[in-house]
Amino acid sequence: AITGALGMTGPADGPPTAPANLLGDYAGGSLYLVIGVLAALQHARTTGAGQVVDAAIVDGTAHLTAMIHGMLA
């Protein structure tokens, strides 16, 4: 709801429908975490130094829905 993704679901004159967990959990959270871990592993392999991976579901979902919000505006 913070990202505005719920406002894009359901009928325009009614309440939003309960979304599947695809956007927040899988795309907004897991996808960004996996890419961060892969980048950190590549960096560790190259330099020998570790990394901190910061992956937030709200940030990922907001990023993924930015294009749709732009088209709606």
Side-chain angles (χ1 to χ4, degrees), residues 38-72:
L38 291 174
L41 287 172
Q42 180 64 26
H43 183 267
R45 183 179 304 158
T46 305
T47 66
Q51 293 286 314
V52 174
V53 178
D54 179 17
I57 292 175
V58 171
D59 295 342
T61 304
H63 180 246
L64 290 172
T65 59
M67 180 181 72
I68 297 170
H69 285 298
M71 289 189 295
L72 291 173

Side-chain angles (χ1 to χ4, degrees), residues 9-60:
T9 63
D13 58 347
T17 58
N21 58 352
L22 299 175
L23 184 61
D25 295 342
Y26 297 150
S30 299
L31 174 68
Y32 281 65
L33 178 61
V34 167
I35 291 180
V37 168
L38 291 174
L41 287 172
Q42 180 64 26
H43 183 267
R45 183 179 304 158
T46 305
T47 66
Q51 293 286 314
V52 174
V53 178
D54 179 17
I57 292 175
V58 171
D59 295 342

